[in-house]
Amino acid sequence: MKRNIAIKWFKRIDSTNNEAIRNIDDYDSMTVIAAESQTAGKGQRGNGWYSEAGMNLTFSVIVKFEDFPASEQFTVSQAVSLGICDYLRRFGLEAKIKWPNDIYVGDRKICGILIENGVRSGSLARSIIGIGLNLNQTEWGTAAPNPTSLAAECPDGGPYFPEKELETLVCDIFSRLDSKDNAEIRAGYKRKMYRIDEFHEYENKKDGGKFYGKIIGTTEKGTLLVQDREGAVKEFAFKEIGYII
């Protein structure tokens, strides 16, 4: 292992992001907080994140910054997403990033990311990076619309041991976060985007209409760029576009 990783495990907790925020001054940068079970796991759009106890990885990474422009904070999300894709490639899976930072295998979601940033005086002071990666779970009921897991996608079917897999995954994430080449991070993210340069149907949440378009990338601030069939490029912020899968 390339570095010493401080990992604090909880048997049961409300959410690892909540724990990080509550006690942010007590944790060093690059500390990992993990839990076997969360009672109030957080997902994007205010949704909960459901994970069967002990079956998957639910954890948060605390990153503290010095002199990091707030205008470049989307590169944190991009780097973390790429690190997770690097980890999944170890199992022969070519994962894609569904903007802004869901990780997909095919048309199914294997990992969700929720980043809560703290900005001070125009600089990014810290990021709390919450990650839920499905390892062993193969049944979800109706709690999630299109989930998958490492066990469901890999021929050997597991089981995968959370503590062991967490150390490997975190190393891959830290390797990307350590990169100083933001241009390469942005380029790598674009290459791995789900549906990049393909025409698909989307819902425009701003007017409720549906349209066909192709994702052509993102802006530096992280908004999504989609080109319609007439060649016009539309820009979408978070929650302004819906994927029709």
Side-chain angles (χ1 to χ4, degrees):
M1 196 173 296
K2 295 181 180 179
R3 66 200 304 165
N4 292 323
I5 300 173
I7 301 177
K8 183 172 183 178
W9 275 95
F10 288 84
K11 186 78 174 176
R12 182 180 172 89
I13 198 172
D14 55 350
S15 89
T16 56
N17 267 33
N18 283 350
E19 167 63 19
I21 293 169
R22 277 193 300 263
N23 298 296
I24 188 66
D25 292 335
D26 296 332
Y27 290 119
D28 294 330
S29 185
M30 298 300 195
T31 296
V32 179
I33 301 168
E36 292 183 26
S37 174
Q38 296 185 116
T39 60
K42 294 182 178 181
Q44 294 282 16
R45 301 176 181 87
N47 295 329
W49 177 266
Y50 173 76
S51 176
E52 190 172 334
M55 296 289 283
N56 305 309
L57 283 175
T58 51
F59 66 99
S60 298
V61 179
I62 298 170
V63 185
K64 298 180 180 180
F65 299 95
E66 294 181 5
D67 301 321
F68 194 109
S71 60
E72 297 180 14
Q73 61 187 278
F74 187 56
T75 59
V76 175
S77 176
Q78 292 174 312
V80 171
S81 298
L82 288 171
I84 295 168
C85 289
D86 293 341
Y87 167 79
L88 292 171
R89 193 177 299 119
R90 295 174 180 271
F91 300 89
L93 301 179
E94 285 302 318
K96 298 292 184 180
I97 305 164
K98 178 176 170 286
W99 177 87
N101 52 18
D102 283 340
I103 309 300
Y104 270 47
V105 176
D107 290 323
R108 295 187 176 276
K109 181 176 175 178
I110 195 169
C111 180
I113 304 168
L114 174 65
I115 301 179
E116 299 183 85
N117 290 321
V119 177
R120 185 188 308 120
S121 302
S123 294
L124 184 62
R126 54 84 173 160
S127 291
I128 307 298
I129 304 162
I131 297 170
L133 176 70
N134 295 328
L135 286 182
N136 297 301
Q137 193 167 341
T138 56
E139 295 182 4
W140 287 266
T142 59
N146 60 337
T148 191
S149 65
L150 209 54
E153 296 293 336
C154 293
D156 66 7
Y160 303 100
F161 300 99
E163 290 193 16
K164 175 180 179 295
E165 297 305 329
L166 179 59
E167 291 187 355
T168 303
L169 173 56
V170 168
C171 281
D172 286 335
I173 292 171
F174 284 175
S175 179
R176 289 289 190 168
L177 286 171
D178 285 341
S179 172
K180 306 300 181 184
D181 191 344
N182 286 352
E184 175 53 33
I185 291 293
R186 288 192 289 267
Y189 178 92
K190 182 177 180 179
R191 288 193 296 269
K192 295 295 289 184
M193 287 183 76
Y194 176 66
R195 292 184 170 179
I196 187 74
D197 292 327
E198 300 173 359
F199 275 101
H200 292 274
E201 189 177 15
Y202 297 93
E203 181 183 0
N204 187 333
K205 299 283 190 178
K206 293 182 282 188
D207 61 19
K210 295 180 180 180
F211 72 101
Y212 279 89
K214 67 176 178 180
I215 294 170
I216 59 173
T218 64
T219 65
E220 288 194 9
K221 64 184 178 182
T223 52
L224 183 68
L225 298 174
V226 183
Q227 185 180 73
D228 65 23
R229 282 181 165 170
E230 286 69 48
V233 176
K234 305 175 187 292
E235 182 177 343
F236 295 94
F238 186 53
K239 296 186 180 180
E240 291 184 346
I241 187 171
Y243 288 67
I244 298 174
I245 299 176

